[in-house]
Amino acid sequence: MTTPLKFSANLKWLFTELPIEQRYDAAAAAGFKAAEFAWPYDRPIALFRDLLNNSGLRQLLINTPTGKPGTVKASGQACHPDSINAFRSDFLKSLEYANGMDCQMIHLQAGIRQQDVSFDAAYSTLVENVRWAAAQANDVTLVLEAVNPNDIPGFILRTQGQSYSVIRDVGAANVGLLFDVYHVQRSEGDVTARMRELFPHIRHVQVADSPGRNEPGTGELNWSFIFNALTELNYEGWVGCEYRPATETVAGLKWLSDFVQ
């Protein structure tokens, strides 16, 4: 018997017609049972507890904090040898939010490699930081995501293989792979081949079509094939809808009935 796919609303990308205080209820009204929100840190934990309780949604994922947009730290600093203490302070903050929101996963953002730092030094720092974070996280799962170089040039993890290398070298049971279909297609292609190869390490899946990062069905990917592959693998986790709606969020959700039975 195969496991039906479950979809979560990424509220950094969906329902942006509304303030965050209204997005949880809107996602629930649209039929979602779970939510992701990258950076909740400018609002109190108690607010998110209320939003979750009122909407009935569960919080699946948050990201580690990042630096100012346009800086080398805008995509995380876990691979920066000169920022180990800052990364660890930020991670403890994300863990506080995850625990307070009863959130089961933290996306630990690896970051852009600094120009004056070798790949080996940046990689070693990343492994050290992920290993340390995993020891603090207890029941919270940490996930690593490879990001395509078109969207974030210089990001240290560009392929699923690189992300898996960190997971292997860390060797902690609570560290796994965030398999983002959009980034896989933009960086590597062969989406379902990568999925099958690394499936034992996948803890979360996110979707957007390529190349526009809009909802499934707006680009070049064969979503029936991709979703069928996930189903055949008996994927029991969630599929995060991390895409930019081509028009309006609710109108764009027709793809769920088009591709998922």
Side-chain angles (χ1 to χ4, degrees):
M1 179 180 293
T2 57
T3 304
L5 296 179
K6 304 175 293 185
F7 292 84
S8 61
N10 190 302
L11 300 181
K12 173 182 178 287
W13 294 83
L14 301 189
F15 302 101
T16 56
E17 305 90 345
L18 303 169
I20 187 60
E21 290 81 3
Q22 297 177 31
R23 292 180 202 172
Y24 282 82
D25 283 345
F32 288 103
K33 304 298 182 185
E36 309 164 23
F37 186 57
W39 299 297
Y41 306 107
D42 62 347
R43 294 172 174 82
I45 295 171
L47 168 67
F48 287 98
R49 281 200 297 261
D50 288 343
L51 295 175
L52 291 163
N53 289 336
N54 292 338
S55 65
L57 298 183
R58 60 186 296 188
Q59 187 77 29
L60 288 184
L61 179 77
I62 59 173
N63 292 6
T64 48
T66 59
K68 294 180 180 179
T71 70
V72 73
K73 300 190 185 299
S75 296
Q77 53 188 340
C79 70
H80 297 174
D82 63 353
S83 300
I84 290 175
N85 288 337
F87 162 77
R88 294 184 178 185
S89 176
D90 281 350
F91 180 78
L92 291 177
K93 184 176 183 178
S94 69
L95 190 57
E96 178 186 4
Y97 269 75
N99 288 329
M101 299 165 69
D102 196 22
C103 176
Q104 65 188 58
M105 284 184 287
I106 295 174
H107 170 202
L108 193 154
Q109 296 188 261
I112 296 169
R113 181 169 65 87
Q114 296 160 305
Q115 290 186 350
D116 59 345
V117 175
S118 70
F119 179 86
D120 287 347
Y123 181 88
S124 296
T125 300
L126 177 59
V127 170
E128 178 185 348
N129 277 332
V130 175
R131 185 178 291 126
W132 174 87
Q136 317 308 310
N138 296 319
D139 294 332
V140 176
T141 297
L142 310 183
V143 289
L144 299 175
E145 178 184 43
V147 177
N148 79 81
N150 300 296
D151 283 22
I152 305 182
F155 198 81
I156 188 170
L157 301 178
R158 294 181 298 171
T159 69
Q160 302 307 297
Q162 288 175 330
S163 294
Y164 169 66
S165 292
V166 176
I167 295 165
R168 179 199 62 209
D169 292 346
V170 168
N174 62 338
V175 180
L177 185 66
L178 195 172
F179 190 92
D180 186 302
V181 172
Y182 166 78
H183 288 304
V184 176
Q185 175 68 3
R186 296 283 279 164
S187 290
E188 306 174 72
D190 287 340
V191 170
T192 56
R194 304 277 182 261
M195 182 189 296
R196 294 179 188 281
E197 175 188 3
L198 292 168
F199 184 73
H201 310 285
I202 294 174
R203 299 293 176 267
H204 190 52
V205 174
Q206 290 179 334
V207 295
D209 217 326
S210 176
R213 204 168 188 174
N214 304 124
E215 51 263 76
T218 58
E220 64 192 357
L221 287 164
N222 184 335
W223 288 99
S224 294
F225 191 84
I226 291 169
F227 290 138
N228 284 342
L230 263 182
T231 301
E232 290 166 3
L233 288 165
N234 284 321
Y235 176 64
E236 295 182 349
W238 293 77
V239 178
C241 300
E242 192 191 56
Y243 61 81
R244 183 185 301 106
T247 55
E248 188 267 340
T249 301
V250 174
L253 289 174
K254 183 177 180 294
W255 68 270
L256 276 168
S257 59
D258 287 346
F259 294 112
V260 183
Q261 302 302 319

